[in-house]
Amino acid sequence: MHPQRHIVFFGFSAFSVVLVFVVLSIIGVSLLHRVSVNLNPHKQNRTLFIRFSCPKSAPKVVEHEATAKLEASLATLEGIENLRSESGEDYGYITVEAKKEVDLSLLRFKIVYLVKDLWQHLPGKYSYPIISEVSDEQEKASMLLSYSIFGTVPKEQLTSYVKNTLIPQISRIEGVQKIEVTGEDTYEWVFEYNPNQLQLIGISPHDIYQSLQNCFQIKGLGEVDVGYGSKHKHQLIWRSSFDTTFRWSMIPIKKCNNRLYRLGDLVKARFQPQEKQSYYRINGEETLGINIFTTSDANQITVANLVFEQLESANKLLPKGVSIHKAWDASSFLRLELYKTIQRSSLSLFVLLIVLFAIYRKLKNVLVILIALAANLAISFVFFYLLNVEIHIITMAGIAISLGIIVDSSIMMVDQLVRKKNLQIFMAILASTLTMA
């Protein structure tokens, strides 16, 4: 009888090597839900997008009054590779591409400061520009779920339920970037003032406008309209999220003649619905839309499952006559692609294992290859997580190809152990695998 030979791997016993791989495999399985899973890959962004609106304005007016001025000011900043702008009906859009060596956070800070200073000199009808690292197209691509909520209850009650119950629950889910509500009735504050009265006191409409900006850290006045009538009153129209409980009358405006005038001393205000731009109904019933967006590094399947759980709980508490309908689910496409990849890989693996069993006639050798394959896949998720590699439709194809490489390497290694009882072929397999990778 031959004495039992103990295989040593770079000075470590077989037990130590197996233990390390088992621990790493367990860690990899535990990190599965933390790896980013998306349908399409996300590109590294070196671009900032600036958007602003101007109701009831032609493209030529927007270009002359705002877009050209903003673009000229941005061109003075260092570190900008390219500038593109677009002026349309009621809106302006500027794309800023940064150079590779520039700190994007620092550039964004400079742009925020520049825009804040320039916006104060624009006509009052322009909204405060929104600066984002996500374009309109990217934002649409990051939309995970869309729901329609409709029912026989009044629109105000439906809106209250969505904002006070549904949105807070969904917002707490990790990976949800924002929730957009469409179809709701929006409101505005209308401040009416008498220009003759302001002139006698020594206060201009711009003083009121500026005080509102400073008070709310530039939340954005909507537009300034001039109303014509017997009293020749002017109006400041402010689109805001503040409701009727907001104490607008206490906002300080300006000190004149040793007296501090507040907004309530100078204007009359009313809180009213904005003029509707569109109507959305399902089966003749008023409808609200909820669009749920995810962060770029979120696991979309995990986030979608958590949203489904929240909505399933919320369905039990829905007001009578209210229904929730899923209109869009981006995770369904991702689930389908995952299912196809798993199905094809499993079928190929099953055929391969049958062939291996027919060759070796030993179940132990087949199990070794199967366990090696599972361990390699589990450990790969450790590196996916550490290196911030996201799983998408392209990486899934790469994983499917790598399965073949892993199986080939495992077959050669098992055959070497069975026939030669040594690891001499290991370095050759490692070099071959690294070359193919």
Side-chain angles (χ1 to χ4, degrees):
M1 294 180 62
H2 296 284
Q4 187 177 3
R5 301 175 62 182
H6 296 279
I7 297 175
V8 178
F9 183 77
F10 289 101
F12 297 96
S13 66
F15 175 78
S16 300
V17 174
V18 171
L19 181 62
V20 170
F21 271 75
V22 168
V23 172
L24 289 175
S25 299
I26 294 173
I27 295 174
V29 172
S30 67
L31 292 174
L32 274 174
H33 71 285
R34 292 184 173 271
V35 176
S36 174
V37 180
N38 296 289
L39 182 62
N40 298 307
H42 287 86
K43 296 180 180 179
Q44 186 177 10
N45 195 10
R46 300 287 303 169
T47 309
L48 295 173
F49 304 91
I50 304 172
R51 313 176 185 88
F52 57 89
S53 60
C54 179
K56 304 174 184 178
S57 298
K60 186 176 181 179
V61 175
V62 176
E63 174 68 23
H64 175 72
E65 292 183 342
T67 307
K69 294 179 180 179
L70 280 169
E71 190 174 7
S73 298
L74 292 170
T76 62
L77 297 177
E78 295 182 359
I80 294 179
E81 182 76 26
N82 192 17
L83 273 175
R84 297 193 304 273
S85 66
E86 178 183 348
S87 299
E89 191 78 26
D90 303 339
Y91 75 92
Y93 194 87
I94 300 177
T95 303
V96 182
E97 294 182 7
K99 295 180 179 178
K100 291 183 179 180
E101 66 274 9
V102 173
D103 185 347
L104 196 62
S105 300
L106 180 60
L107 179 61
R108 182 189 177 103
F109 175 78
K110 292 179 180 179
I111 292 175
V112 169
Y113 183 81
L114 186 147
V115 168
K116 177 180 177 181
D117 181 65
L118 183 63
W119 180 71
Q120 298 177 9
H121 300 91
L122 295 178
K125 58 187 177 179
Y126 286 91
S127 68
Y128 187 75
I130 298 173
I131 303 171
S132 172
E133 296 183 19
V134 181
S135 67
D136 292 339
E137 292 77 12
Q138 290 172 331
E139 188 171 88
K140 291 177 182 177
S142 68
M143 187 173 74
L144 176 63
L145 296 165
S146 179
Y147 286 90
S148 298
I149 302 180
F150 54 93
T152 56
V153 300
K155 188 71 169 288
E156 293 76 13
Q157 184 179 346
L158 199 61
T159 304
S160 176
Y161 172 76
V162 168
K163 289 196 167 184
N164 299 328
T165 304
L166 278 185
I167 290 181
Q169 292 178 359
I170 300 174
S171 298
R172 289 194 291 265
I173 297 174
E174 185 179 357
V176 173
Q177 183 181 44
K178 72 170 185 175
I179 300 174
E180 183 181 81
V181 180
T182 60
E184 63 175 326
D185 292 332
T186 52
Y187 290 82
E188 62 189 9
W189 283 94
V190 179
F191 300 108
E192 292 186 348
Y193 62 89
N194 190 319
N196 296 327
Q197 178 191 5
L198 295 183
Q199 188 175 8
L200 289 174
I201 297 174
I203 296 177
S204 67
H206 182 74
D207 294 330
I208 301 175
Y209 184 87
Q210 191 69 40
S211 296
L212 288 170
Q213 292 177 29
N214 297 334
C215 181
F216 299 105
Q217 299 177 355
I218 312 184
K219 292 288 184 183
L221 281 169
E223 61 183 76
V224 180
D225 287 340
V226 178
Y228 297 97
S230 57
K231 296 183 180 180
H232 297 287
K233 290 182 179 179
H234 290 205
Q235 292 181 343
L236 282 174
I237 300 179
W238 180 27
R239 291 178 176 86
S240 168
S241 58
F242 294 102
D243 56 20
T244 53
T245 62
F246 167 58
R247 298 181 62 188
W248 58 269
S249 60
M250 301 304 294
I251 298 176
I253 302 299
K254 188 176 181 181
K255 189 173 183 179
C256 295
N257 301 322
N258 296 323
R259 176 187 172 183
L260 178 61
Y261 285 89
R262 299 183 183 274
L263 188 60
D265 303 324
L266 305 172
V267 302
K268 293 181 179 180
R270 65 178 183 272
F271 192 64
Q272 65 181 27
Q274 291 183 22
E275 181 181 351
K276 287 191 175 185
Q277 303 295 323
S278 61
Y279 293 86
Y280 184 38
R281 291 188 176 90
I282 293 181
N283 296 329
E285 298 174 344
E286 289 279 5
T287 303
L288 292 180
I290 299 180
N291 300 324
I292 302 171
F293 297 82
T294 60
T295 56
S296 60
D297 59 344
N299 187 320
Q300 291 192 340
I301 292 180
T302 301
V303 174
N305 290 338
L306 292 173
V307 172
F308 296 156
E309 291 177 7
Q310 287 287 352
L311 289 178
E312 187 176 349
S313 302
N315 276 332
K316 302 175 183 177
L317 304 174
L318 280 176
K320 189 176 181 180
V322 176
S323 301
I324 300 179
H325 172 70
K326 184 166 65 176
W328 166 261
D329 181 7
S331 70
S332 62
F333 300 100
L334 185 56
R335 293 175 200 272
L336 180 61
E337 290 300 323
L338 279 172
Y339 173 75
K340 288 180 180 178
T341 301
I342 294 173
Q343 186 185 45
R344 293 165 183 167
S345 301
S346 300
L347 182 60
S348 302
L349 183 62
F350 177 72
V351 173
L352 179 63
L353 292 177
I354 292 177
V355 173
L356 289 174
F357 183 74
I359 295 173
Y360 288 109
R361 301 296 178 89
K362 289 184 179 180
L363 184 61
K364 182 179 70 173
N365 294 345
V366 176
L367 287 177
V368 167
I369 295 173
L370 189 61
I371 292 171
L373 181 62
N376 275 274
L377 282 176
I379 294 172
S380 67
F381 281 93
V382 176
F383 293 97
F384 289 161
Y385 177 76
L386 294 177
L387 300 177
N388 199 25
V389 176
E390 66 175 4
I391 305 298
H392 48 73
I393 193 169
I394 298 176
T395 54
M396 281 190 288
I399 291 173
I401 294 172
S402 69
L403 293 178
I405 300 174
I406 295 171
V407 170
D408 290 344
S409 301
S410 300
I411 291 173
M412 288 186 287
M413 198 71 246
V414 168
D415 189 74
Q416 179 73 10
L417 288 171
V418 170
R419 297 177 184 274
K420 302 296 177 94
K421 308 295 184 182
N422 61 49
L423 301 174
Q424 292 179 359
I425 199 175
F426 172 76
M427 294 304 297
I429 293 175
L430 178 62
S432 174
T433 303
L434 292 176
T435 302
M436 286 187 286

